[in-house]
Every structure is written in C-alpha cells, then in structure tokens.
Amino acid sequence: MPVSGSWATPGTMARVATRAEELGYDEVWTFQRLLYPVGHSMGSSYRSVQDPIVTLSYVAGVTSRIQLGVAVLNLPFYSPAMLAKQLATLQIVSGGRLDVGVGLGWVEEEFAASAVPMERRGKRAEEYVQLLRKLWTEDPVEHKGEFYALPPVHQDPKPAPVPPILMGGAAPVALRRAGRLADGWISSSRMDLTKIHEQISMVKESAREAGRDPGALRFICRGVTRPGSDSSAPLAGSYEKIRQDVAALAEQGVTEVFHDLNFNPEFGSVDADPAVSMRRAEEALEALKP
C-alpha cells in the first residue's frame, strides 16, 4: 500500500488496493512509524508515514476480498485494551480479512513520546500478545501480570475469526519468541534475503520445542522491490528476474512475499514525484500479478 512519502494519498491507496484485488493478489500491507526524530539516519521511507490502522480501515471500505495486513504495529505504544478494540472493530468491518503483525519498537524517541520504557520490551510484548488474545476470546476478561492489569471486564464485540498474530524481529530471541507464540513471522526491510532460510529454521525449531506444529506457521517476506535497479540484489532488476527471486524465496521456506515499494526511495520518499511513483506502481502491479 502507498503509506510512505509523497504518493501516500487517499486516491493512490484506494487505487492500489482495488487494482490489486482485481488482479488476484492475496493481500495488501501497511507499516507503522510513529515519529521521525530530527537528524535521524533511519532513511527517507520513514520520514512521512500514514497510520496503518486508519489506512486499512479506509481500504477495507473500497475492497471486498483482499486480505489486509500490517507489518508491524509496535505494541508498547498502545494500551492493550485500546488496540484490541481497534483491531477487533477492523476485523468486523472488513469481514474477517485482517492479519496483525506486531513488533517491539526500536526508536528511543517513540518510547519517550509514549511514556513507556524501552527496557524489557521483549517480555512486555510476550504478555501483551497473551492479553490481546484474552480480550478477543474470553468473557469476562481478567488479567494481572508484570506489565498490565485488568479488573474483571467485558470487551465486546469479539472479532470473528480471531485475527492471526504475526511477529517481526530478526534477533535470535525475537525469532524464538515468534516460534513459541505467534501464528507466523515477518521479515524486516533490512533482511538479507539470500539467508532468510536461517531465520525460518530458527522459528520452526522454537515452535517444535514449544510443542507446536511448525508446518502451520506462515513465513512472510517484506520484499523491498526495485524494478529496473541493479539486478544482482534480490527482487531487483527486470520483472522476470523479480519473479524468479520470489520463486527462490519460496524454496527457502517463505510462504508469502509482499512487494514493498515504500522502502524503495524512488517511491516512498517525500521527494519522489507521486505521479511517476503511481505510474510505475501500476506497471509493477500488472507485471508481478499472481
């Protein structure tokens, strides 16, 4: 989805979502960036980013079949009860099409603005995921943990079906956490895609150790796609080469690839020409259709 930079407008969001649905794509994806610290070096794709939940709610209203994904929401920045309510409502109004990717966050200024410490954010996320599922499935809900507490409460309506929770992260501890707790794993924009099988293997091993079926997990690749660029990199070069790269990712164990143009600065920068970005995106949608 166009969510970053100059091309992230309501018109392009609706156009990409509806055209992707027409062409038979399975899902459209968004991502989150709460703040861009002054002078930070994180890159142009993070400079101006639309909110992912609002964006998916908008495109849910102009589509009927295509799945709606976010990769990822940084859990510490939300109250669990508030996020559970927002996502349950999105699941309901979309007709059950939501995939929820979650992460920990990594920008100090975003934690400061959210009045949440960065320390022990991994443990916080583990409790958070358990509480999300409680809020979506139990009635009444009661929770008393290390980071969060709920007195006996009702939170309705419940989402049906309960959205899958997918976890991001590249560090070994994050990969093991995904294997233990999540319905799947999402790679980062900086992942070395030639070695993604190593991360997939670690997630699967953690799932086996937890008594879970690794074959039931999804492995989703954020594919930073660069049509026409240096073809030595994965998902770059001609469209035929990019298709071959997708097939190679499947051989490594990836179950789904989404083509992320936002992390290509030729599309997702505030300095990019939005008309050119959209023209090229239309071309890519056609050329890479399933």
Side-chain angles (χ1 to χ4, degrees):
M1 289 293 302
V3 293
S4 173
S6 59
W7 76 318
T9 67
T12 58
M13 291 172 185
R15 175 57 182 168
V16 167
T18 56
R19 189 63 181 137
E21 186 168 79
E22 291 169 1
L23 292 170
Y25 284 87
D26 295 312
E27 190 153 11
V28 290
W29 288 87
T30 57
F31 73 96
Q32 182 192 55
R33 181 86 279 134
L34 183 62
L35 301 171
Y36 189 101
V38 173
H40 205 287
S41 61
M42 68 175 72
S44 60
S45 296
Y46 285 126
R47 179 63 183 84
S48 175
V49 182
Q50 303 281 15
D51 180 82
I53 297 176
V54 175
T55 298
L56 291 179
S57 300
Y58 171 60
V59 301
V62 297
T63 56
S64 60
R65 176 198 61 80
I66 201 162
Q67 287 286 116
L68 310 168
V70 53
V72 293
L73 295 171
N74 293 307
L75 295 178
F77 307 155
Y78 298 88
S79 147
M82 179 63 76
L83 185 61
K85 171 65 76 172
Q86 289 179 314
L87 295 177
T89 301
L90 178 50
Q91 179 73 325
I92 291 166
V93 300
S94 70
R97 293 186 279 146
L98 180 61
D99 282 335
V100 180
V102 299
L104 308 183
W106 53 276
V107 178
E108 291 183 14
E109 290 84 351
E110 291 181 329
F111 281 85
S114 303
V116 180
M118 287 189 72
E119 293 76 21
R120 307 195 71 227
R121 60 192 185 273
K123 285 294 184 182
R124 179 184 292 272
E126 293 194 19
E127 183 179 331
Y128 200 121
V129 168
Q130 294 168 359
L131 183 49
L132 272 183
R133 288 181 171 139
K134 279 186 177 182
L135 286 159
W136 287 339
T137 60
E138 296 182 10
D139 185 44
V141 186
E142 184 175 7
H143 180 84
K144 187 172 183 180
E146 180 179 357
F147 301 97
Y148 302 104
L150 278 178
V153 295
H154 303 286
Q155 189 179 77
D156 295 301
K158 304 295 186 187
V162 172
I165 295 179
L166 312 160
M167 300 191 87
V173 65
L175 298 170
R176 290 192 291 268
R177 184 183 300 116
R180 290 197 318 273
L181 300 177
D183 299 301
W185 171 72
I186 304 172
S187 73
S188 77
S189 61
R190 298 178 296 277
M191 180 68 61
D192 180 354
L193 299 185
T194 65
K195 299 179 179 179
I196 196 170
H197 63 280
E198 297 175 1
Q199 285 76 27
I200 291 172
S201 295
M202 190 173 294
V203 175
K204 287 184 173 181
E205 181 59 30
S206 177
R208 277 189 289 267
E209 290 172 355
R212 308 179 70 211
D213 177 10
L217 300 182
R218 295 164 61 186
F219 294 94
I220 299 166
C221 171
R222 177 195 293 278
V224 180
T225 302
R226 298 179 175 88
S229 297
D230 177 8
S231 61
S232 64
L235 301 176
S238 70
Y239 287 117
E240 180 57 34
K241 157 70 164 44
I242 293 170
R243 283 183 167 277
Q244 293 170 1
D245 291 341
V246 170
L249 287 167
E251 291 176 358
Q252 291 196 72
V254 170
T255 60
E256 299 150 64
V257 175
F258 68 89
H259 293 287
D260 196 336
L261 299 176
N262 291 288
F263 280 86
N264 179 341
E266 295 178 7
F267 292 82
S269 167
V270 293
D271 299 319
D273 183 327
V276 173
S277 298
M278 194 58 204
R279 176 182 57 77
R280 294 184 64 200
E282 293 261 18
E283 177 186 274
L285 278 165
E286 292 280 352
L288 297 172
K289 66 184 178 182

